[in-house]
Amino acid sequence: MKRELLGPLVLLASSLALPALARAQATSTLTFATNADPTFNPWSPNAEVESDLINELIFEGLTRYGSNLQPVPALATRWSVSKNGLVWTFHLRKGVTWQNGRPFTSKDVVFTFNDIALNKKLGANFASDYAPVSQVKAVGPYEVQFLLKTPFSALPSYLAYFEGILPASSFAGVKNPWTLSSFDKQHPIGTGPYQLDKFVPGSYVELRRNDHYWGGKPQVRTILFKIIPNANTQVAEMLSGGLDLISLQNTALLGPLKSDPNLQIIRSQENLYYWVALNQNDPRFRNVLVRRALLLAINRPAIIKSLLGGYGQVATGPIAPLQKAIYDPKVAQYPYDPTLAKKLLAEAGWLPGPNGRLEKGGKPFTITMPTGQFGQLVPMSELVQNYWKAIGIDVQLKVTDWNTYIKQVVVDRRYQATLAWWSTPPTPDIGPYYASSAAVTGSNIPNYRSAKLDALLAAGQDARTPAQEKAAYAKVQEFVASQLPYLYLWYPDILVVKSKRIGGMSDVNLPEAFQHSVNWTVR
Amino acid sequence: MLGYLSRRLLQGILVMFLVSAATFFLINLAPGGPSSLMNLNSTAQQRAALEQQLGLNRPIFLRYLNWLGAALQGRLGNSLSQGEPVAPLLAQRLRHTALLAGTALLLVFIFGVALGIWSARKRGRPIDHLVGLVSTLGMSLPEFWLGTLLIMLFSVRLHFLPASGMLTVGAPWSLSDLLVHLLMPALVLSFVLLPNVVRFARSALLEVMEADYVRTARSKGLRERAVLLRHALRNAWIPIIAMLGLILPQLLSGSVVVESVFAWPGMGRLAVQAAMNRDYPVIMATTVLAAAIVILTNILIDLLYSLVDPRVVHA
Amino acid sequence: MPSRSLTQLRRPVARVPGRPGVLALLLRRPAGWISLALLVLLYGASFLGPLLDHHSATATHPLHALLGPSWLHPLGTDDLGRDELLRMLYGGRVSLSVGLISMVVALVAGLLVGGLAGYLRGAVETILMRLVDAFMAIPAFFLILAELAVFGSSPPVVILVVGLSFWGQMARVVFAESLKMRQREFIEAAQALGASRTRVFFRHLLPQVVPSAIVLGTLGVGWSILTEAALSFLGLGIQPPLASWGNMLQNAQVYVWTSPWLAIYPGLAIALAVLAFNLLGNALRDVLDPRIR
């Protein structure tokens, strides 16, 4: 998922050309940057990573993340679930006003979910996360109920994941909310601590603080986002003295920043893991021995050490260590062992031919591996290709632009193996990426189908207590580690470099930090 | 003259039509689709809904006719990845590109023509060879490499110039601010174009210097400077103007790369993003606009020819 | 309408017996022999160099990534631990071939279209030259972006697309030359003697315009090497694991801070190769068209 790049976000405190003015602003302004023109509507399919953090400042969800990434109150003050697990009730915060002065009520919540998120004709962002929700009902002006088809213990966590509430009145009579540029390009209205002042496409976004914010007046007066697509240019701007915070896509960019005494480097965590998917429509990969062998053949610590500059750890499954309460490291491990890999492949019938290449029934073992140009996917895939070559498999790497790659791998599922990543909300619910119902048409990229896993996932969603949840997802983690629906590669650190000028910003990760921008200060 | 003009315009319109049809079918046949659909975590259901909304499930031929009809009425549609009308987006980006390209062009003409004349007057001497070598070198450097090196030197090492953008964000508009941002991208862009202009100016001047009327002027005992200014240069202008028509497409192409390196919010960057995101209406608009600029400039130049040099007659 | 082209060429001087050949003339000028020597070196090293080393240019060694120069790796290693020198040589094969072959494509297309339009005139000229106008009206880059998006970035496609983006310019030069040639006595004489139009075109007209086209083509090789590099910079050129100087440069972008040599070598190689072709083109023009020096 695209949310890995959360970081092309840069803080630029002052201008170079006008130092006097810049110094005057320094106490009241932070200038960020993003990599493309944003869309100020978190649900819009046009809003991607370039918009996410900006939208977190303008809009708010019913919940947000606490310092341990558990959902804590935001626009909802408390919530509870019915005994059968099929009705969630949320009590809304009173006295909250939209940035245009109108009051925030349950009408807005009902609109945001029923008319936007759950409206099948719109294809909104995150729509697939809400598959278990049938509808949202208002119970008076300050209470709403989520009516579910199946239990959904992860609901409060999903609600904190970039899923801001929209003002119903701004969309009254609007047929297609995605072309309402008067809202999502010019005058977005949220309840958050910052509101849009000016947006110059291709250039910058200027936010000013919301003086009527329910959580108190933010201390930083103005936040600017500069639109800088090129990662090197972002680093250059940072080094040339202007930037205060940058999230790095590649650890190689850390080199010049490390020695700057005004900067600090934070290894933040997200629920992000890289994987190799082996297409289960291909009978060769339905054999678990083959999947295990292919993972054993990859020297993951070596890749982490080189391409990630050591910033990351070997992945054991889809639930990352930052979910401390749930993460279970005591599952099947696959340390680098090409000899064992060859042995497992031999058990599966793949034996070395005369030229050392593996073959079965006279057919050589070849794998077609499409790769898209995005971040470090290409060099990562090249390394995997070489590790597999080393055990006698012929791997054809096909590199294309990102758009073509998505069409081929996600839409058409025309691939045998491919390397990518998932970045998910910090919830153990992995259904959207693993359930049989998500194969072929959904985000179950390897098209893995297992009735047993489906049952384990349903049990997890039906958990009522933290203990039940932990137990249910321990079984899920054990199962996927042993069966390998995806080959798990690594959990990368998200490197955030920030100026020591910024105060009050938490170091968990940027999505969480941006939900608490009201606490930021400039030293 | 009028007949010639209208014929050229008519041909230009035909060419534009060809360009638009070719581009439309090309980009719609390209694998992938608008980035809102081509998303790692989009589901089949989301994609189907968006395809329906964007009308992408209709036959391609019909969609082209729709586009053409709307474009002829001046409606360029909405950007698929921005949701905004294309025309104002393009107008704004075009202004920025015009500023960058115009500055580069100005630099290139001042320095290019001066160097060319200098070089022509010192023909065969070391200076001539040096100018030739340096300008050939300029033509040989990849502009994105040059740009990266300049950023590393002037922004990172020397803290002398801003690394990117067009204006300092948050500062009030000022000319000096604009100029410091303009300097590096305009220099890179002009450095790449310089060799053509130098060589062209040089050979144009040499050619007229050998013409009979220049020899006559010289033999009348006119000083070299007078010969150069009064006779030679006046006639050398024609091919130099012609040069403009030739380097314009280069200039537009060059700005694509330079804008990407320096994050200049212009049309070139818009075009690259549109191509990556399969933003069909924006690709169509930028391509057709670029074509129109090139065609119109060429017609204008031919007209200028006849003004500068009355011997050129268009029938 | 005046014809315009990047290199406004006049008819080359026909070869007179007893006068030195083009190559000999070229070797007499510094620009000529320097550029030829440089090209022999670049092509020779790229195509013969890798034969001396039995290592694979694609085998990766992540634990030996980004090493500085040493005896084992004279230019250091890249981000995947591959020998940079070997990658440079293999990359040279690709970049130099893309440059040369795509220019042959442009040359053939330009000679045929421009030559036919200039020789036959009439409706053929109108149709062909308007087609050229249409091609020339789209700035090359925009066209290439669209084409590569459709057909993908395999080497043959990149070669074809880069070549076809230059053929318009070539066609215009050839067209202008042919217009002049067809008026000349020897063509008229050949026609009067009853030679077929095909014969006149291929045997008499084309050989006269080829030298101008070759000069433009030589300059064009440099242009197409640069174009491939720029396409790779935007991620649309030759794709890894196949190395090209362009994609090596793009790959080096994130390492400019820590391992700048990764960006400097391929950048230099591109600049040298393009410089050599430009110098050669200029020298060729001087030799073939000695009136202007």
Side-chain angles (χ1 to χ4, degrees):
Chain A
M1 186 163 131
K2 71 208 176 204
R3 269 153 224 288
E4 182 211 17
L5 282 185
L6 260 186
L9 248 264
V10 173
L11 239 313
L12 172 113
S14 59
S15 77
L16 289 162
L18 299 160
L21 181 97
R23 223 166 285 130
Q25 283 186 339
T27 52
S28 54
T29 301
L30 293 176
T31 309
F32 294 75
T34 184
N35 60 353
D37 286 351
T39 299
F40 308 112
N41 179 347
W43 302 94
S44 165
N46 294 327
E48 296 187 26
V49 60
E50 76 292 325
S51 314
D52 284 343
L53 292 186
I54 302 178
N55 284 336
E56 287 216 310
L57 299 176
I58 301 175
F59 301 97
E60 289 179 297
L62 290 180
T63 64
R64 61 178 161 181
Y65 296 122
S67 55
N68 56 358
L69 297 178
Q70 295 298 310
V72 298
L75 287 178
T77 50
R78 60 195 164 89
W79 48 88
S80 56
V81 61
S82 68
K83 273 218 174 100
N84 62 5
L86 293 177
V87 179
W88 281 81
T89 306
F90 289 80
H91 297 270
L92 305 182
R93 196 175 291 278
K94 291 176 186 160
V96 175
T97 55
W98 290 99
Q99 288 160 358
N100 62 2
R102 290 170 183 251
F104 158 77
T105 66
S106 57
K107 245 189 222 159
D108 300 309
V109 181
V110 169
F111 163 78
T112 301
F113 285 93
N114 288 353
D115 296 292
I116 301 282
L118 302 176
N119 183 345
K120 291 208 162 68
K121 280 188 192 138
L122 290 182
N125 278 350
F126 318 112
S128 51
D129 291 349
Y130 292 96
V133 179
S134 68
Q135 63 156 316
V136 177
K137 205 173 80 183
V139 186
Y142 295 105
E143 195 181 320
V144 293
Q145 285 183 340
F146 281 68
L147 308 181
L148 309 179
K149 296 172 223 164
T150 53
F152 191 18
S153 62
L155 177 63
S157 185
Y158 277 113
L159 292 172
Y161 192 68
F162 302 111
E163 329 217 331
I165 303 298
L166 298 173
S169 61
S170 295
F171 290 85
V174 173
K175 228 173 121 192
N176 185 347
W178 309 148
T179 55
L180 189 67
S181 58
S182 63
F183 185 90
D184 67 24
K185 290 291 172 182
Q186 291 151 22
H187 303 292
I189 292 161
T191 59
Y194 288 90
Q195 62 194 99
L196 183 70
D197 218 14
K198 198 174 178 201
F199 169 36
V200 182
S203 203
Y204 69 95
V205 177
E206 184 172 344
L207 303 178
R208 78 181 129 85
R209 72 176 170 201
N210 173 4
D211 288 335
H212 309 288
Y213 183 56
W214 59 264
K217 203 189 244 187
Q219 306 190 45
V220 179
R221 201 165 289 161
T222 310
I223 292 180
L224 297 164
F225 285 82
K226 217 177 172 181
I227 296 156
I228 306 177
N230 183 309
N232 268 336
T233 316
Q234 291 186 358
V235 174
E237 289 251 355
M238 182 113 170
L239 286 170
S240 62
L243 306 186
D244 282 315
L245 182 142
I246 186 170
S247 169
L248 299 176
Q249 302 160 41
N250 188 317
T251 53
L253 296 171
L254 195 61
L257 301 164
K258 251 191 303 208
S259 51
D260 193 322
N262 300 316
L263 305 176
Q264 64 184 119
I265 293 154
I266 293 150
R267 300 172 71 156
S268 75
Q269 307 292 323
E270 287 177 23
N271 202 88
L272 173 57
Y273 60 101
Y274 281 78
W275 41 256
V276 170
L278 298 168
N279 198 334
Q280 297 300 299
N281 294 350
D282 185 327
R284 294 176 300 175
F285 301 127
R286 280 188 215 136
N287 186 339
V288 71
L289 293 176
V290 173
R291 299 200 293 274
R292 285 175 186 160
L294 289 175
L295 185 54
L296 282 166
I298 304 171
N299 188 346
R300 292 172 288 170
I303 301 179
I304 292 168
K305 194 164 172 240
S306 62
L307 276 184
L308 304 186
Y311 293 100
Q313 67 183 90
V314 170
T316 51
I319 292 166
L322 90 165
Q323 296 190 47
K324 289 185 196 100
I326 311 279
Y327 174 65
D328 182 3
K330 288 189 268 333
V331 294
Q333 308 281 332
Y334 302 88
Y336 177 52
D337 191 343
T339 320
L340 180 57
K342 279 189 235 174
K343 207 179 127 227
L344 292 186
L345 285 169
E347 269 177 57
W350 293 100
L351 295 161
N355 54 5
R357 298 274 180 80
L358 296 186
E359 50 184 51
K360 186 175 181 176
K363 267 186 146 181
F365 201 156
T366 61
I367 298 179
T368 312
M369 189 168 179
T371 304
Q373 287 174 342
F374 198 101
Q376 290 181 285
L377 294 186
V378 175
M380 285 169 178
S381 301
E382 285 183 83
L383 289 181
V384 168
Q385 174 196 31
N386 274 280
Y387 281 120
W388 286 350
K389 263 188 180 164
I391 57 166
I393 298 170
D394 181 23
V395 184
Q396 300 293 321
L397 214 57
K398 304 260 188 256
V399 182
T400 62
D401 71 298
W402 186 239
N403 200 296
T404 307
Y405 170 80
I406 297 292
K407 166 77 177 153
Q408 193 179 342
V409 170
V410 180
V411 181
D412 298 341
R413 305 281 155 109
R414 244 176 331 106
Y415 76 96
Q416 293 177 343
T418 194
L419 188 156
W421 76 95
W422 288 128
S423 169
T424 68
T427 145
D429 173 32
I430 55 167
Y433 313 94
Y434 289 82
S436 302
S437 58
V440 184
T441 57
S443 292
N444 182 345
I445 303 282
N447 303 317
Y448 181 80
R449 296 177 185 81
S450 156
K452 175 139 190 247
L453 181 57
D454 290 345
L456 289 175
L457 290 173
Q461 284 293 36
D462 201 18
R464 304 298 156 80
T465 66
Q468 277 178 16
E469 196 178 37
K470 187 177 165 69
Y473 285 107
K475 281 187 194 148
V476 170
Q477 291 175 83
E478 193 195 327
F479 181 85
V480 296
S482 110
Q483 293 304 308
L484 297 178
Y486 295 80
L487 309 186
Y488 301 103
L489 298 178
W490 44 78
Y491 309 114
D493 294 343
I494 313 292
L495 290 179
V496 175
V497 182
K498 81 176 179 193
S499 160
K500 291 181 178 159
R501 294 173 64 242
I502 308 174
M505 186 186 275
S506 105
D507 291 340
V508 177
N509 58 33
L510 288 181
E512 188 265 350
F514 273 65
Q515 290 176 340
H516 300 273
S517 57
V518 68
N519 301 330
W520 294 349
T521 58
V522 181
R523 279 198 280 268
Chain B
M1 186 72 200
L2 259 179
Y4 167 79
L5 189 64
S6 54
R7 205 173 66 231
R8 282 296 302 277
L9 281 174
L10 213 69
Q11 285 176 350
I13 290 169
L14 185 74
V15 167
M16 297 268 292
F17 170 75
L18 283 177
V19 167
S20 77
T23 312
F24 193 91
F25 289 103
L26 260 179
I27 60 176
N28 278 283
L29 287 174
S35 55
S36 53
L37 280 76
M38 293 302 140
N39 200 311
L40 191 50
N41 60 329
S42 72
T43 61
Q45 193 188 38
Q46 281 168 307
R47 287 190 297 267
L50 290 167
E51 242 170 39
Q52 177 81 30
Q53 282 169 41
L54 300 174
L56 295 176
N57 45 2
R58 288 177 306 147
I60 178 169
F61 192 67
L62 213 63
R63 281 191 282 143
Y64 177 64
L65 288 184
N66 272 348
W67 179 87
L68 193 64
L72 287 175
Q73 296 165 45
R75 285 183 287 120
L76 295 174
N78 277 10
S79 155
L80 299 184
S81 53
Q82 298 293 324
E84 279 188 293
V86 172
L89 191 72
L90 205 61
Q92 186 220 28
R93 297 303 186 92
L94 185 63
R95 275 202 306 276
H96 297 164
T97 295
L99 177 66
L100 175 62
T103 312
L105 208 56
L106 196 71
L107 286 174
V108 137
F109 263 71
I110 293 171
F111 289 107
V113 172
L115 280 175
I117 292 173
W118 195 32
S119 184
R121 293 195 57 196
K122 308 271 177 190
R123 169 156 53 131
R125 301 221 210 122
I127 280 295
D128 181 25
H129 292 303
L130 188 70
V131 169
L133 192 69
V134 169
S135 59
T136 312
L137 191 67
M139 208 162 131
S140 313
L141 293 177
E143 56 262 62
F144 54 91
W145 193 56
L146 190 62
T148 312
L149 294 181
L150 286 184
I151 290 177
M152 284 169 75
L153 182 63
F154 288 108
S155 307
V156 176
R157 280 283 146 105
L158 302 175
H159 294 215
F160 188 57
L161 290 170
S164 77
M166 197 168 89
L167 290 166
T168 303
V169 172
W173 192 91
S174 79
L175 188 63
S176 62
D177 185 38
L178 180 66
L179 290 181
V180 294
H181 282 84
L182 191 57
L183 194 59
M184 274 201 295
L187 270 181
V188 170
L189 196 51
S190 53
F191 195 60
V192 176
L193 294 172
L194 193 68
N196 278 332
V197 180
V198 173
R199 221 179 43 220
F200 222 81
R202 178 180 176 274
S203 62
L205 195 71
L206 283 180
E207 199 171 324
V208 291
M209 292 282 264
E210 288 186 356
D212 293 340
Y213 56 88
V214 173
R215 282 195 195 144
T216 315
R218 219 179 254 151
S219 65
K220 280 194 305 188
L222 276 180
R223 275 179 307 134
E224 193 61 25
R225 178 178 294 265
V227 172
L228 185 75
L229 291 178
R230 232 176 279 162
H231 297 277
L233 259 187
R234 186 185 296 168
N235 289 292
W237 275 117
I238 305 166
I240 293 174
I241 291 174
M243 195 55 218
L244 182 72
L246 281 176
I247 64 175
L248 197 79
Q250 264 188 306
L251 193 65
L252 289 176
S253 291
S255 66
V256 171
V257 174
V258 171
E259 286 176 5
S260 294
V261 174
F262 291 98
W264 189 267
M267 206 173 87
R269 216 175 102 198
L270 185 69
V272 173
Q273 278 169 357
M276 303 280 185
N277 295 335
R278 309 287 191 272
D279 194 341
Y280 303 134
V282 175
I283 302 177
M284 287 305 290
T286 47
T287 314
V288 170
L289 182 67
I293 292 172
V294 173
I295 291 170
L296 278 178
T297 316
N298 278 339
I299 295 178
L300 268 179
I301 285 166
D302 285 345
L303 289 179
L304 263 179
Y305 258 135
S306 51
L307 292 181
V308 178
D309 182 359
R311 285 170 304 173
V312 178
V313 180
H314 296 302
Chain C
M1 155 183 171
S3 74
R4 279 177 272 112
S5 67
L6 198 71
T7 47
Q8 204 123 33
L9 295 156
R10 240 157 283 93
R11 188 178 59 83
V13 176
R15 189 153 166 214
V16 180
R19 283 191 56 186
V22 171
L23 188 65
L25 281 173
L26 264 181
L27 289 174
R28 278 188 202 166
R29 354 182 111 251
W33 68 259
I34 292 176
S35 58
L36 279 177
L38 209 52
L39 289 177
V40 168
L41 186 76
L42 285 170
Y43 276 86
S46 296
F47 284 88
L48 303 177
L51 303 180
L52 302 176
D53 193 329
H54 58 278
H55 288 99
S56 155
T58 50
T60 51
H61 308 280
L63 293 176
H64 300 114
L66 302 174
L67 298 178
S70 68
W71 278 112
L72 192 60
H73 304 290
L75 298 184
T77 61
D78 72 356
D79 56 330
L80 301 183
R82 297 173 292 207
D83 181 62
E84 181 71 3
L85 178 62
L86 204 57
R87 294 283 291 171
M88 286 291 299
L89 297 178
Y90 276 106
R93 284 187 179 185
V94 172
S95 293
L96 294 170
S97 311
V98 167
L100 208 59
I101 303 175
S102 61
M103 211 30 62
V104 171
V105 171
L107 198 68
V108 171
L111 276 175
L112 282 180
V113 170
L116 282 177
Y119 178 59
L120 297 176
R121 312 234 33 193
V124 177
E125 176 197 324
T126 311
I127 293 170
L128 288 180
M129 291 320 282
R130 288 301 80 77
L131 204 68
V132 170
D133 284 350
F135 257 91
M136 298 284 287
I138 313 178
F141 228 88
F142 290 71
L143 189 70
I144 294 177
L145 286 179
E147 288 170 342
L148 288 180
V150 180
F151 300 111
S153 299
S154 66
V157 173
V158 173
I159 286 170
L160 212 63
V161 160
V162 171
L164 288 181
S165 65
F166 199 74
W167 76 284
Q169 207 169 337
M170 186 69 81
R172 277 193 185 167
V173 169
V174 172
F175 172 67
E177 286 289 298
S178 320
L179 272 189
K180 278 183 230 152
M181 287 303 149
R182 72 191 296 272
Q183 318 281 3
R184 294 188 54 94
E185 304 82 0
F186 65 94
I187 302 278
E188 280 170 9
Q191 275 164 337
L193 286 172
S196 72
R197 284 168 76 162
T198 323
R199 187 180 163 81
V200 172
F201 179 69
F202 281 104
R203 295 297 297 273
H204 297 280
L205 192 119
L206 268 192
Q208 292 297 314
V209 298
V210 159
S212 321
I214 286 189
V215 171
L216 182 61
T218 310
L219 297 168
V221 176
W223 177 87
S224 52
I225 292 175
L226 277 180
T227 303
E228 190 276 317
L231 287 174
S232 294
F233 175 71
L234 298 171
L236 293 158
I238 300 287
Q239 299 297 339
L242 197 59
S244 83
W245 289 338
N247 71 29
M248 289 174 73
L249 234 176
Q250 192 233 4
N251 189 42
Q253 287 297 308
V254 287
Y255 299 103
V256 291
W257 312 100
T258 45
S259 314
W261 65 84
L262 290 182
I264 287 173
Y265 298 139
L268 268 181
I270 293 169
L272 270 184
V274 179
L275 183 68
F277 277 109
N278 286 342
L279 284 176
L280 183 67
N282 289 345
L284 262 179
R285 180 177 39 212
D286 291 350
V287 168
L288 295 172
D289 185 9
R291 270 187 35 196
I292 288 188
R293 223 161 259 175

